[in-house]
Amino acid sequence: MGSSVAEVLRGRWWEDQAMFGYKRERAHVPLHSHASVDDALRFWYQRDRAATFEAADAATWAPGAGADVAAVRSARWWVHGLPRVASLSGSWRFRLFPRPEEVPEGFFSPGFNDSEWSTHSVPSHWQLQLQQQKQHKQQQHQAAETKAGAAAAGASEEEEVEDPPIYTNIQYPFPIQPPFVPTDNPTACYRRRFSLPASWSGQHITLCFEGVDSAIHVWLNGNYVGYSQDSRLPAEFNVTPFCVTRGKEREEKNRVTGEEPGDGERAEGEGEGEGEGENVLAVMIVRWSDGSYLEDQDHWWLSGMHRDVTLLCRPQVHIADLEVKTDVADDMQSAIVKLEVLLEGWPRCDIQSLLDSCHVEAYLFDAWRSPPPPPQHPPSPSSSSSSVPMSPTSRSPKDPERDDLEALKIPAVAAFQPVGLGAGEGRGGRGEWRKGG
């Protein structure tokens, strides 16, 4: 697959029922990257205490809350305090076209001039933001005191692409000819500039779109990254070869000013080329795809990046997935925890090198009732935890589209002593146990 818009149009993957994604990472459990066990415990303890009813009252549906501002604030809140995760929520350059064929070639190039494009917030739906902008212009039009001003406002409105929200129940909003969709298929292009800290250099970097409706093509710094369609599931891509990081002098300056990873976008930029350590992310989203036939239900049809967009930094050899199974004894006094970990190494390395470069440990903690202790090095798990020795058994099947990665599955079985097991219940999906009420 090439990188040009022309090749994207020739492929028309949004009408190919056999194509769901290209260069997209395999699905896995939710993952973060922390510097230590203590950092991970402290982060989740703080999140548990902050996720209260008061926090929910400040969400986007709260009366008087600006939806755009609240959505960005909410998305960034979930990654705040994670130095190895950067949120790209915020202002993006935006332009809507009536059909894919009208997308300008090279819009994904770092030097493309997007100064005449509008600014949209992410996460959001573009239909709602367009309606807000239209209402604002109508108010300006009504306030115009001269005919010249009214004529100018009318001329500006005629150039806009109409793409209103659609509500259907059991009817499709387009002719039923699967897998084909209407030729007039509203297509949005987004551009976002961001910088990465020097500490991310040499690390494995993953780009994650947590929710996009309906089909998306992705470019980074002019390089084609991949394709995905599935409006309610994350789409992740390995962007390690394409990312540029800041120099150390620039990072020191930003540390003084308090700038965080991912900051530094020029939403009001003039379309100039890359600055030091600057990256340009560009996406093309089509409203209708063959997946739209499956997503028809009693809901509003809305499009865009409606959830957060993030970057995850991990070591070159890292945990890519894991599976935990628990067998609790009948007397509820002990349990067997079976853990299978999927390791990945990038760039491609042989299995023996992968094993020689790392080891895997697993810890089981009782539910916290007070803040975690101050950081200790090496981390000291509680008395109810156990270190799990692991050994390899089989390699994971290789994805032909991702031949730069080596994957290895490592199973382990460990017996744990009682950790307050009563009418136990899983807690937060983090492998912890606590007494049932």
Side-chain angles (χ1 to χ4, degrees), residues 272-387:
E272 60 267 32
E274 296 177 79
E276 180 192 356
E278 185 177 66
N279 298 270
V280 179
L281 177 61
V283 301
M284 167 182 161
I285 303 174
V286 294
R287 179 169 194 179
W288 307 118
S289 71
D290 53 2
S292 300
Y293 286 97
L294 302 178
E295 295 173 345
D296 180 58
Q297 54 186 304
D298 183 9
H299 73 153
W300 283 93
W301 292 89
L302 299 168
S303 313
M305 293 180 280
H306 56 86
R307 293 175 182 163
D308 199 5
V309 182
T310 59
L311 291 161
L312 172 63
C313 174
R314 293 177 289 179
Q316 295 288 18
V317 177
H318 54 268
I319 294 176
D321 201 2
L322 59 89
E323 181 179 4
V324 179
K325 296 181 180 179
T326 56
D327 296 327
V328 181
D330 293 339
D331 60 4
M332 302 298 290
Q333 296 302 307
S334 63
I336 299 295
V337 178
K338 299 178 181 179
L339 174 66
E340 186 175 76
V341 178
L342 176 65
L343 297 180
E344 281 187 345
W346 191 95
R348 186 171 60 183
C349 59
D350 61 75
I351 296 300
Q352 191 58 47
S353 298
L354 187 62
L355 289 174
D356 293 342
S357 63
C358 65
H359 69 280
V360 180
E361 293 183 352
Y363 300 100
L364 179 66
F365 291 88
D366 198 356
W368 48 59
R369 296 174 180 83
S370 60
Q376 302 178 31
H377 302 286
S380 176
S382 66
S383 60
S384 61
S385 65
S386 174
S387 178

Side-chain angles (χ1 to χ4, degrees), residues 151-164:
S156 175
E157 291 175 5
E158 292 177 356
E159 297 175 359
E160 295 179 355
V161 178
E162 291 291 334
D163 188 31

Side-chain angles (χ1 to χ4, degrees), residues 386-432:
S386 174
S387 178
V388 182
M390 299 190 175
S391 58
T393 56
S394 63
R395 293 173 59 176
S396 175
K398 229 195 244 189
D399 187 339
E401 296 175 356
R402 299 170 63 250
D403 58 2
D404 52 351
L405 287 171
E406 284 289 347
L408 179 67
K409 285 186 177 180
I410 299 181
V413 178
F416 291 92
Q417 295 302 313
V419 289
L421 290 180
E425 65 179 37
R427 185 171 188 270
R430 295 193 294 278
E432 299 169 12

Side-chain angles (χ1 to χ4, degrees), residues 217-248:
H217 286 275
V218 184
W219 290 263
L220 181 59
N221 294 331
N223 301 285
Y224 185 73
V225 173
Y227 170 81
S228 176
Q229 62 179 77
D230 197 327
S231 300
R232 299 300 181 268
L233 290 178
E236 294 186 345
F237 302 94
N238 175 18
V239 294
T240 309
F242 313 128
C243 286
V244 179
T245 57
R246 293 174 181 152
K248 292 185 178 180

Side-chain angles (χ1 to χ4, degrees), residues 187-201:
T187 303
C189 292
Y190 294 79
R191 287 169 55 89
R192 171 71 150 85
R193 298 177 183 273
F194 64 92
S195 297
L196 297 176
S199 59
W200 286 32
S201 178

